[in-house]
Amino acid sequence: MFCKSCYANLPDGTEICPKCNANLAAKMPIEETDKKMDSSTNSNDSSSGSSSADIAMDIKKRSERPRAGVIIIGSLAGIIFAFLAFVIYQRIDFRPSVQKEALIPDKAQDSQPVQSNKTTIALPKAAEDTVQNITAADPAIQKHLQDSKDYILNGKFQNAVESLKMALEKNPANQEIKKAISATYGVIAAKKAETGNYKDAVDDFKNAIRYFNEDSKLFLGMGSAYLQLNKNTEAADALNSAAALDPNLVEAYHLLADIYYKNDDVAKAVPYWEKVLSIDPSDQKARYFLSKANREKDTNEKFTKELTSHFTIRFEGQEEREVGRIVLSILEDAYREIGREISIYPETEVIVYLYTKQQFRDVTRSPSWAGALYDGKIRIPISGYNNDMTQLKRNLYHEYVHALVRSIVKEGRCPTWLNEGLAQYFEDKDKLDYRREMIKALQKNKVVIPVRNLEGSFMGFSSAQSHVAYSVSLAIVEFMIDRYGMYNVKRVLEELGKNKTIDEAMRDGLSIPYEVFQKEWQSDFEKGRG
């Protein structure tokens, strides 16, 4: 999800943006029509008092059959949304100038609250300043130094390294030249990390540290790159080295906390966020995650777990074990089926939490219309599925797709329309009748919501607004797949994973400008397709 105000990329369910302090949980007033639609599409709001054993038995016995409620909603949706379309359009559509500002990511900001592949090395100033401070009496050395300065000013950092190495050969004891080589390697490594080339970035950070091992920022950069390669042990070693060199380096503590949090060891993550706040009490990022982690710790401390080679599932009490096994079976099906279609299989395990409805609200603080959540872990309230295995499967497939997208995009920015559109596409292609009805209503009333206006978070929308945003996102993604194929959709995700903007990712993934894609989609939509 994205902050509605500053467009920082945040985990789904974030309530307060750590960058601008915007309240992301605030919703527009929800009319009775919203509530009706909310209850029709969120089966978690029913049968919350059923026991886990009953849920497990009923799920096993449940036959696959269409829900009458879906058919009714399909009929009502056209009338309801025809009436609401213009009002909702006002809320979603009239934001083009603000949204355009979000298309060029701020390279200095973390693309996620606790994890970033960015280093704090200035480019190319760090190398330039280091070289500028070196003086040498030997004309030959001075010539190599001048060459290195010229190369740096022209962005030829590898050439600068070679010139500096030649200068060092003539004066092997010169520590300033070693520092200059180190700083220049650091620039090279950081630039590679920015383009998603984390493996080579690690190698160049190692080269930098070999020449000068007292710069905490180099260890921080190397730890960040290791995280992107899912090498958590090596990342933790590098980050601890960074913190040892600079005990006030809050970025290192944030990343160390993230390592433990992602590995579901919340208790070990908490002290690092507490350390950040002891250094900087105004750090909203640490404050948000510390609060969230404490809520999770209190709720999850009695949870047990089941696991497969791809998933770890956590739940409370032995009576939930059978439900957990059913959930694991569905997720393994998703892993195989979706993996075959999009040719992606996440390398790291996906963590899943099964909650009661109240636990889900307490931990996630999500909007009332949210039936499940992915914020780095799949979180789903299991109550209410005793009469609807189809809805349970939909929600699990939906959230698994978010985990799949995160595994590709990593710390890049995935527009919400693409993320949510793909999640719906793989949910249950034959059971999205109410979405189709909504699209028809929008088309009939000639309401077109620009693609760019669906890049940010939907979390602040009311129930009706969210249904429109989700439906249009599905229609855009279906158009994208039909027109360009799943292979090229995957390429767009991979380009986003290289920290490219959506404009760049569409250009390199689909071989067309983003603006052209939007015009194609709008033309197709206005003709009544989708």
Side-chain angles (χ1 to χ4, degrees):
M1 64 175 282
F2 290 79
C3 173
K4 296 177 292 179
S5 299
C6 70
Y7 296 96
N9 191 5
L10 311 172
D12 288 345
T14 301
E15 301 162 3
I16 303 296
C17 175
K19 183 159 183 71
C20 69
N21 295 325
N23 184 354
L24 306 182
K27 301 187 287 292
M28 299 288 289
I30 300 177
E31 303 296 333
E32 286 302 310
T33 51
D34 298 345
K35 296 176 183 176
K36 290 178 184 178
M37 295 184 58
D38 197 21
S39 62
S40 71
T41 56
N42 185 355
S43 67
N44 297 326
D45 291 340
S46 63
S47 305
S48 57
S50 301
S51 71
S52 299
D54 289 339
I55 292 172
M57 292 301 297
D58 288 341
I59 288 176
K60 280 184 172 182
K61 295 176 182 178
R62 181 70 176 169
S63 62
E64 297 282 344
R65 67 177 187 267
R67 295 178 64 200
V70 172
I71 298 172
I72 294 171
I73 286 301
S75 302
L76 291 177
I79 299 172
I80 293 172
F81 288 111
F83 178 75
L84 290 176
F86 182 73
V87 175
I88 297 170
Y89 175 72
Q90 302 286 323
R91 173 71 175 90
I92 299 177
D93 187 48
F94 292 152
R95 298 180 295 172
S97 61
V98 177
Q99 286 285 0
K100 286 178 181 177
E101 294 174 3
L103 299 177
I104 308 299
D106 178 0
K107 294 297 184 183
Q109 86 177 30
D110 289 345
S111 57
Q112 217 178 294
V114 295
Q115 181 175 325
S116 173
N117 56 21
K118 312 296 191 299
T119 71
T120 53
I121 299 173
L123 301 178
K125 194 66 175 173
E128 182 182 341
D129 287 350
T130 307
V131 176
Q132 291 287 359
N133 294 331
I134 304 174
T135 59
D138 187 330
I141 295 178
Q142 190 60 45
K143 175 65 168 59
H144 292 312
L145 294 175
Q146 185 58 52
D147 288 345
S148 68
K149 293 175 188 178
D150 293 340
Y151 283 131
I152 288 170
L153 289 173
N154 287 289
K156 298 180 179 180
F157 298 104
Q158 192 62 52
N159 290 342
V161 165
E162 299 308 318
S163 291
L164 288 167
K165 286 181 178 179
M166 286 188 282
L168 186 63
E169 286 178 2
K170 296 182 179 299
N171 188 359
N174 192 314
Q175 294 300 313
E176 295 305 314
I177 296 178
K178 290 181 180 180
K179 288 181 182 180
I181 295 173
S182 176
T184 307
Y185 265 126
V187 172
I188 294 169
K191 290 178 79 68
K192 288 179 179 177
E194 283 191 347
T195 61
N197 187 358
Y198 303 112
K199 184 177 183 298
D200 287 348
V202 165
D203 291 338
D204 282 315
F205 277 123
K206 288 179 178 179
N207 288 333
I209 291 168
R210 188 168 65 249
Y211 283 93
F212 183 67
N213 63 1
E214 297 180 20
D215 187 343
S216 62
K217 305 297 178 61
L218 296 175
F219 286 98
L220 175 66
M222 185 165 66
S224 299
Y226 269 132
L227 272 180
Q228 300 306 312
L229 297 171
N230 297 316
K231 294 185 176 182
N232 289 344
T233 301
E234 293 88 341
D237 289 343
L239 294 168
N240 279 315
S241 295
L245 288 167
D246 182 358
N248 293 321
L249 189 61
V250 295
E251 295 98 326
Y253 299 123
H254 271 301
L255 292 172
L256 284 164
D258 187 57
I259 289 172
Y260 290 111
Y261 185 73
K262 285 199 309 181
N263 287 335
D264 209 29
D265 196 342
V266 178
K268 287 186 178 179
V270 165
Y272 288 107
W273 286 315
E274 290 176 338
K275 178 68 173 176
V276 171
L277 290 172
S278 71
I279 297 169
D280 180 9
S282 67
D283 192 309
Q284 294 302 312
K285 186 164 52 175
R287 192 170 301 282
Y288 166 78
F289 275 99
L290 180 60
S291 173
K292 183 180 181 183
N294 282 328
R295 292 199 306 270
E296 287 187 45
K297 187 160 60 73
D298 293 341
T299 301
N300 301 347
E301 59 184 6
K302 295 182 180 179
F303 278 32
T304 55
K305 68 179 179 180
E306 292 274 345
L307 54 88
T308 66
S309 57
H310 308 121
F311 300 91
T312 293
I313 192 164
R314 300 291 299 270
F315 49 85
E316 183 178 22
Q318 290 300 313
E319 65 274 15
E320 297 279 7
R321 189 175 297 278
E322 187 61 32
V323 178
R325 288 172 178 167
I326 293 171
V327 169
L328 278 175
S329 176
I330 293 172
L331 286 170
E332 285 292 340
D333 288 342
Y335 179 88
R336 290 188 296 271
E337 292 172 16
I338 299 173
R340 279 195 301 268
E341 189 157 350
I342 198 170
S343 299
I344 299 170
Y345 300 90
E347 296 178 1
T348 57
E349 69 174 4
V350 178
I351 297 170
V352 185
Y353 272 90
L354 305 184
Y355 293 119
T356 65
K357 182 179 177 182
Q358 188 58 49
Q359 287 171 336
F360 179 74
R361 300 301 174 202
D362 289 344
V363 170
T364 66
R365 304 289 176 88
S366 57
S368 60
W369 48 262
L373 187 100
Y374 178 75
D375 61 356
K377 302 168 188 175
I378 294 175
R379 304 180 191 276
I380 185 166
I382 202 63
S383 303
Y385 290 113
N386 55 314
N387 290 320
D388 197 349
M389 182 176 180
T390 302
Q391 187 62 39
L392 175 61
K393 179 180 177 181
R394 282 187 196 171
N395 282 358
L396 289 170
Y397 271 54
H398 184 110
E399 302 307 327
Y400 172 69
V401 173
H402 287 320
L404 193 67
V405 169
R406 177 72 66 86
S407 74
I408 309 168
V409 175
K410 299 181 183 296
E411 300 311 297
R413 294 186 173 193
C414 184
T416 303
W417 66 260
L418 179 54
N419 204 339
E420 294 296 349
L422 280 169
Q424 293 172 91
Y425 179 82
F426 285 109
E427 269 184 32
D428 188 342
K429 297 174 185 177
D430 298 323
K431 301 293 183 181
L432 292 168
D433 298 335
Y434 64 98
R435 299 278 194 236
R436 314 285 181 213
E437 291 298 324
M438 186 178 304
I439 290 298
K440 290 178 182 178
L442 292 171
Q443 290 170 328
K444 182 178 180 180
N445 288 275
K446 301 187 184 304
V447 176
V448 178
I449 299 173
V451 179
R452 284 194 185 275
N453 292 4
L454 295 174
E455 290 176 2
S457 172
F458 300 167
M459 296 299 283
F461 291 164
S462 71
S463 179
Q465 291 161 351
S466 72
H467 283 300
V468 172
Y470 276 89
S471 297
V472 174
S473 297
L474 173 63
I476 296 169
V477 166
E478 287 185 327
F479 165 79
M480 190 177 181
I481 293 171
D482 290 343
R483 178 69 62 89
Y484 296 99
M486 186 63 76
Y487 172 78
N488 287 317
V489 174
K490 177 186 174 184
R491 285 184 60 197
V492 171
L493 294 174
E494 290 170 340
E495 296 302 322
L496 290 169
K498 298 175 183 177
N499 292 315
K500 293 184 179 180
T501 65
I502 181 59
D503 296 75
E504 294 167 336
M506 294 291 275
R507 179 198 66 207
D508 297 337
L510 296 188
S511 300
I512 62 165
Y514 191 24
E515 297 295 341
V516 172
F517 172 81
Q518 293 180 86
K519 289 178 181 178
E520 289 181 348
W521 141 252
Q522 185 168 332
S523 174
D524 195 77
F525 185 83
E526 289 173 346
K527 290 176 182 176
R529 299 168 187 161

